[in-house]
Structure formats: C-alpha cells, structure tokens
Amino acid sequence: QVQLVESGGGLVQTGGSLRLSCAASGRTFSTLTMGWFRQAPGKERDVAAVISGSGTTYYADSVKGRFTISRDSANNTLYLQMNNLKPEDTADYYCAARAGAMFTLRKSLYDWWGQGIQVTVSS
C-alpha cells in the first residue's frame, strides 16, 4: 500500500508559478512510476506528466515547456514545477503511483492516488 499526500496548490495569476509536492510512503519510492494527473471542472481526469523510477519523463502537449516533473528519492517526494500558468491549467491535480517500471499514461493502470489539490489560475 502507498499513501500519497499532495501540497502546494492555490490561487495564482496568469503567468505565475506554483510547485506541487507529493509525499509518498509505504513502498520503496524508487520502484514506483509516478504521475501527475489533472481534472478540470466538467472534464475527465487526464495525464499532465509522468516520471519513471529511472527518470524517464512524459509531458502532455498542453504543458510541455512550462511544467517540469521531478522526483527526490532521498525524501520520497514527487514534484511538479508549473511555470507560465494559464487559466486553462485550472484543475484539481492528483498525484498517482503504480508499482513496477512499466511507463504508462493510462490512469486506469495507476494503483494509488492522492486526494487531489486545487490549482486556480486567474486571468
């Protein structure tokens, strides 16, 4: 079992920055594939960024060049640095983890989820 706790969300103006953190516990962090997903009001939950245990990353086109996903195995923490935020980035952001090294964007294949954290970008 893995517990995930997100922090760092909030309200920011267009063009601003936020850094989300996700503290993980319960399993060896380096063995987990980790991801950030987001769900805007009235829309499905979609992948924003994923990082494997070895550091391979993927970004959705909508965030590429603005968001950076990273992980700190010493502190069992996942990060999402979000720069140049836009109103369309407004969503609930979820940290997710799956056991094993298989790199996937499919949310149904992630085993554990955080409770989510709200990010609001004002225009």
Side-chain angles (χ1 to χ4, degrees):
Q1 192 76 341
V2 174
Q3 292 77 43
L4 303 171
V5 179
E6 300 103 334
S7 61
L11 173 65
V12 65
Q13 291 185 332
T14 296
S17 298
L18 282 175
R19 188 175 79 157
L20 303 183
S21 299
C22 173
S25 61
R27 278 211 180 195
T28 303
F29 186 67
S30 60
T31 66
L32 300 172
T33 294
M34 304 291 297
W36 287 101
F37 292 75
R38 63 184 186 178
Q39 186 167 16
K43 296 189 176 181
E44 287 192 5
R45 191 175 301 184
D46 289 326
V47 64
V50 171
I51 186 167
S52 70
S54 62
T56 301
T57 58
Y58 164 86
Y59 297 94
D61 287 343
S62 57
V63 308
K64 201 173 294 183
R66 300 186 298 121
F67 289 12
T68 302
I69 189 171
S70 62
R71 60 195 298 162
D72 180 352
S73 292
N75 292 302
N76 292 348
T77 303
L78 176 73
Y79 299 101
L80 185 68
Q81 178 66 44
M82 305 185 293
N83 297 328
N84 190 21
L85 283 160
K86 305 175 180 180
E88 51 264 42
D89 295 316
T90 295
D92 290 326
Y93 283 71
Y94 296 86
C95 172
R98 70 178 307 279
M102 191 183 84
F103 192 87
T104 181
L105 311 178
R106 293 173 58 187
K107 58 182 180 287
S108 63
L109 296 182
Y110 282 78
D111 302 299
W112 301 284
W113 292 83
Q115 62 185 22
I117 193 163
Q118 190 171 51
V119 171
T120 303
V121 185
S122 64
S123 57

